[in-house]
Amino acid sequence: MKFCLTVCVLLLALISQAQNKLIGSVVDGETNIPVAGSSVFITNTSLASITNKDGHFEIPNIPAGIYKLIVTHVGFETVTYDFSTEKMPPKLKVMVKPKVVAMEAVVVGGYVKETWEKWGKTFTDYFIGLSANSMKTVIKNHKTLRFRFYKKLNKLEVVADEPIIIENRGLGYQLGYQLEHFEINFNERTNFFAGHILFTDMRGNGRQVKKWQENRREAYTGSMMHFFRSVYEGNSLDQGFEIRRVKKLRNVEKDRIRALYRHNPDQRLGDSSEYYQKILSQKDFSYEYGATLAVDSFRIVEDGQKFIYWPDYLQVVNKHKIEEQGYLDHHMERRSRYPARSLIMLQNEPALLLDANGNWYPAQGLLSEWYWGWSEKVGDLLPLNYFPALITNTP
């Protein structure tokens, strides 16, 4: 009976997806002539199409959610189009404009052009990641990358002249990553990157495909996608997540001692050397933890839309996700592996809009630390239309 119910639920989901079809055409905005061979895809998914000789395209089987459509063609500007499956356009007409080659703007403070040889490893560590799947992920066209280092700001930016081709041999995907922004601020110890991604399944034998499926499920378990989907559905506890409100308290005495030394490196100004070393050995922050939270304590439902908001930080722990050894090695921690713990906070936003796929808007409105700060890199990304298998042989 349980097997039949699961199959019925899956069939209903597939029927619902089949009804979400995006149909449209791509034309030259100046001549109104169809543009054949345009790449049309929904970013962060494996859903894509190529326009035919009439400029026509179709993308069927779109799961419910909010998406961004990307249209690219050599010699034309990239076009983006936001849409929701709740309000699908009957037929979309995309007008593309010829690309104008512009000279790079002069930046106040300037930057130094650097090379892959100098910054390639740093870029891959922060962009691809350091997880087990990341170690099996390679950039096939790294020569398209250009590096800019701002010495005064101690900041690295990376731009790409064409989509970055990435082969993830751990999860079985090839990615076309159209990089829009990449930045490492070494002073603030922050990293942010964004872009448009098309996932394509790699070909493999039966054994490889089975291993990829296992790795994808493992990558999904305890991920930010998994968590925010559970928040949207309101079943986070059932999915293994424990959520607590956290206050992050800065060690002001350490800041004081550090500032004294910075201005007077040869004097302690009344602070003994022993005390000085004791304070500097402490951590920069301490944390105050609140009680376990229910989803509805930070999720608001208005007019059918779901928003999330909380002050300070949330700690998210998933009892089914154990930290990778690489995480401990990266932070030089000599201890047993725990269930993965992460901190998240809102950044300059009063609230975030959440959708069924686990997406939040705006994307830059959320900051993650601890495990997700380490693991949520390109090497462990899954497409938004990825869902763990629903059918089992459980009687």
Side-chain angles (χ1 to χ4, degrees), residues 47-254:
L47 305 171
S49 179
I50 300 292
T51 57
N52 62 17
K53 61 182 178 62
D54 299 317
H56 178 81
F57 69 86
E58 289 187 13
I59 302 179
N61 304 328
I62 304 173
I66 304 170
Y67 298 98
K68 186 182 292 291
L69 185 74
I70 311 298
V71 180
T72 65
H73 193 286
V74 176
F76 290 89
E77 299 285 351
T78 297
V79 175
T80 64
Y81 173 76
D82 296 317
F83 72 96
S84 168
T85 52
E86 292 186 0
K87 297 180 180 179
M88 296 281 284
K91 188 171 183 180
L92 183 65
K93 184 177 182 179
V94 181
M95 305 180 74
V96 294
K97 297 180 180 179
K99 183 178 293 185
V100 178
V101 179
M103 296 181 64
E104 289 191 41
V106 177
V107 181
V108 176
Y111 57 80
V112 178
K113 293 182 179 180
E114 297 285 9
T115 64
W116 170 265
E117 287 68 28
K118 181 170 182 177
W119 288 106
K121 185 179 186 308
T122 300
F123 174 72
T124 53
D125 286 354
Y126 280 83
F127 182 65
I128 301 296
L130 295 166
S131 68
N133 288 322
S134 298
M135 295 298 103
K136 299 175 183 177
T137 303
V138 295
I139 296 175
K140 307 294 287 184
N141 60 337
H142 67 79
K143 291 183 179 180
T144 192
L145 299 170
R146 290 183 286 125
F147 300 85
R148 303 168 175 172
F149 182 67
Y150 298 78
K151 189 173 182 179
K152 289 184 178 180
L153 300 175
N154 199 20
K155 182 177 73 173
L156 177 69
E157 287 185 351
V158 183
V159 296
D161 297 321
E162 60 187 35
I164 307 170
I165 306 304
I166 302 167
E167 189 173 89
N168 189 331
R169 299 165 187 165
L171 297 179
Y173 290 117
Q174 179 169 290
L175 284 65
Y177 197 112
Q178 187 172 318
L179 187 67
E180 297 294 319
H181 185 81
F182 179 93
E183 175 185 307
I184 304 173
N185 190 315
F186 295 102
N187 288 337
E188 298 179 2
R189 298 182 181 181
T190 58
N191 168 224
F192 175 77
F193 57 86
H196 307 306
I197 318 170
L198 174 61
F199 290 80
T200 304
D201 282 295
M202 293 172 57
R203 293 183 178 181
N205 57 40
R207 184 176 180 180
Q208 288 175 317
V209 171
K210 183 178 180 181
K211 183 61 178 176
W212 290 336
Q213 291 173 341
E214 292 172 357
N215 290 348
R216 291 174 186 181
R217 176 179 285 276
E218 175 64 22
Y220 176 78
T221 302
S223 66
M224 293 183 78
M225 176 191 285
H226 184 191
F227 173 66
F228 283 111
R229 283 180 177 179
S230 75
V231 171
Y232 185 90
E233 296 296 337
N235 62 358
S236 297
L237 185 61
D238 294 338
Q239 293 294 313
F241 291 102
E242 180 183 87
I243 310 161
R244 295 178 185 273
R245 186 163 289 130
V246 176
K247 287 187 177 181
K248 187 176 182 180
L249 307 175
R250 192 166 189 93
N251 188 335
V252 293
E253 179 64 0
K254 185 174 181 178

